[in-house]
Short mmCIF file of all heavy atoms in Angstrom, two decimals:
data_model
loop_
_atom_site.label_atom_id
_atom_site.label_comp_id
_atom_site.label_asym_id
_atom_site.label_seq_id
_atom_site.Cartn_x
_atom_site.Cartn_y
_atom_site.Cartn_z
N PHE A 47 135.25 83.39 91.82
CA PHE A 47 136.55 83.39 92.50
C PHE A 47 136.62 82.22 93.47
O PHE A 47 135.59 81.73 93.96
CB PHE A 47 136.76 84.71 93.25
CG PHE A 47 136.78 85.92 92.37
CD1 PHE A 47 135.64 86.69 92.20
CD2 PHE A 47 137.94 86.29 91.68
CE1 PHE A 47 135.64 87.81 91.39
CE2 PHE A 47 137.95 87.41 90.87
CZ PHE A 47 136.80 88.16 90.72
N GLU A 48 137.83 81.82 93.78
CA GLU A 48 138.00 80.67 94.68
C GLU A 48 137.51 80.99 96.08
O GLU A 48 136.89 80.15 96.74
CB GLU A 48 139.48 80.27 94.70
CG GLU A 48 139.74 79.00 95.51
CD GLU A 48 141.19 78.57 95.45
OE1 GLU A 48 141.96 79.14 94.64
OE2 GLU A 48 141.55 77.66 96.22
N TRP A 49 137.77 82.24 96.54
CA TRP A 49 137.32 82.60 97.89
C TRP A 49 135.79 82.63 97.95
O TRP A 49 135.20 82.41 99.00
CB TRP A 49 137.89 83.94 98.30
CG TRP A 49 137.54 85.09 97.38
CD1 TRP A 49 138.28 85.57 96.35
CD2 TRP A 49 136.33 85.88 97.41
NE1 TRP A 49 137.62 86.61 95.71
CE2 TRP A 49 136.43 86.82 96.36
CE3 TRP A 49 135.19 85.88 98.22
CZ2 TRP A 49 135.43 87.76 96.10
CZ3 TRP A 49 134.19 86.81 97.96
CH2 TRP A 49 134.32 87.74 96.92
N GLY A 50 135.14 82.91 96.81
CA GLY A 50 133.69 82.91 96.78
C GLY A 50 133.13 81.51 96.90
O GLY A 50 132.12 81.28 97.59
N ILE A 51 133.78 80.55 96.26
CA ILE A 51 133.34 79.16 96.35
C ILE A 51 133.56 78.62 97.76
O ILE A 51 132.73 77.89 98.30
CB ILE A 51 134.08 78.30 95.31
CG1 ILE A 51 133.75 78.80 93.90
CG2 ILE A 51 133.72 76.83 95.46
CD1 ILE A 51 134.51 78.09 92.80
N ASP A 52 134.69 79.00 98.38
CA ASP A 52 134.99 78.53 99.73
C ASP A 52 134.01 79.09 100.76
O ASP A 52 133.79 78.49 101.81
CB ASP A 52 136.42 78.92 100.11
CG ASP A 52 137.45 78.22 99.24
OD1 ASP A 52 137.12 77.14 98.68
OD2 ASP A 52 138.58 78.73 99.11
N ASN A 53 133.46 80.27 100.48
CA ASN A 53 132.52 80.91 101.42
C ASN A 53 131.14 81.06 100.79
O ASN A 53 130.47 82.08 100.96
CB ASN A 53 133.05 82.28 101.84
CG ASN A 53 134.40 82.21 102.51
OD1 ASN A 53 134.51 81.90 103.70
ND2 ASN A 53 135.46 82.49 101.76
N ALA A 54 130.73 80.03 100.06
CA ALA A 54 129.47 80.10 99.31
C ALA A 54 128.27 80.33 100.22
O ALA A 54 127.38 81.13 99.89
CB ALA A 54 129.29 78.81 98.51
N PHE A 55 128.23 79.66 101.36
CA PHE A 55 127.08 79.80 102.25
C PHE A 55 126.96 81.23 102.77
O PHE A 55 125.87 81.82 102.77
CB PHE A 55 127.21 78.83 103.43
CG PHE A 55 126.06 78.90 104.40
CD1 PHE A 55 124.83 78.35 104.10
CD2 PHE A 55 126.22 79.56 105.63
CE1 PHE A 55 123.77 78.43 105.00
CE2 PHE A 55 125.17 79.64 106.51
CZ PHE A 55 123.94 79.08 106.20
N LEU A 56 128.08 81.81 103.20
CA LEU A 56 128.08 83.18 103.71
C LEU A 56 127.66 84.17 102.63
O LEU A 56 126.87 85.09 102.89
CB LEU A 56 129.47 83.53 104.25
CG LEU A 56 129.65 84.96 104.77
CD1 LEU A 56 128.71 85.22 105.95
CD2 LEU A 56 131.09 85.21 105.18
N ILE A 57 128.15 83.98 101.42
CA ILE A 57 127.82 84.88 100.32
C ILE A 57 126.33 84.80 99.99
O ILE A 57 125.66 85.82 99.76
CB ILE A 57 128.67 84.56 99.07
CG1 ILE A 57 130.12 84.97 99.33
CG2 ILE A 57 128.13 85.27 97.83
CD1 ILE A 57 131.07 84.59 98.23
N CYS A 58 125.78 83.59 99.99
CA CYS A 58 124.34 83.42 99.74
C CYS A 58 123.51 84.14 100.79
O CYS A 58 122.52 84.82 100.47
CB CYS A 58 123.98 81.94 99.70
SG CYS A 58 124.56 81.08 98.23
N ILE A 59 123.91 84.02 102.05
CA ILE A 59 123.17 84.68 103.13
C ILE A 59 123.23 86.19 102.99
O ILE A 59 122.22 86.89 103.12
CB ILE A 59 123.74 84.24 104.50
CG1 ILE A 59 123.44 82.76 104.76
CG2 ILE A 59 123.14 85.10 105.61
CD1 ILE A 59 121.97 82.42 104.85
N VAL A 60 124.44 86.73 102.70
CA VAL A 60 124.61 88.18 102.57
C VAL A 60 123.79 88.72 101.41
O VAL A 60 123.06 89.73 101.56
CB VAL A 60 126.10 88.53 102.39
CG1 VAL A 60 126.26 90.00 102.03
CG2 VAL A 60 126.87 88.22 103.66
N PHE A 61 123.87 88.08 100.26
CA PHE A 61 123.14 88.56 99.09
C PHE A 61 121.63 88.39 99.27
O PHE A 61 120.85 89.27 98.86
CB PHE A 61 123.61 87.84 97.82
CG PHE A 61 124.78 88.51 97.16
CD1 PHE A 61 126.08 88.16 97.50
CD2 PHE A 61 124.60 89.51 96.22
CE1 PHE A 61 127.17 88.76 96.89
CE2 PHE A 61 125.68 90.13 95.62
CZ PHE A 61 126.97 89.76 95.95
N LEU A 62 121.21 87.29 99.87
CA LEU A 62 119.78 87.06 100.08
C LEU A 62 119.20 88.10 101.03
O LEU A 62 118.15 88.69 100.77
CB LEU A 62 119.54 85.66 100.62
CG LEU A 62 118.08 85.29 100.94
CD1 LEU A 62 117.23 85.36 99.67
CD2 LEU A 62 118.00 83.91 101.57
#
Side-chain angles (χ1 to χ4, degrees):
F47 298 97
E48 185 176 350
W49 58 265
I51 298 176
D52 295 337
N53 300 280
F55 180 76
L56 178 61
I57 290 175
C58 287
I59 292 297
V60 170
F61 272 90
L62 178 62

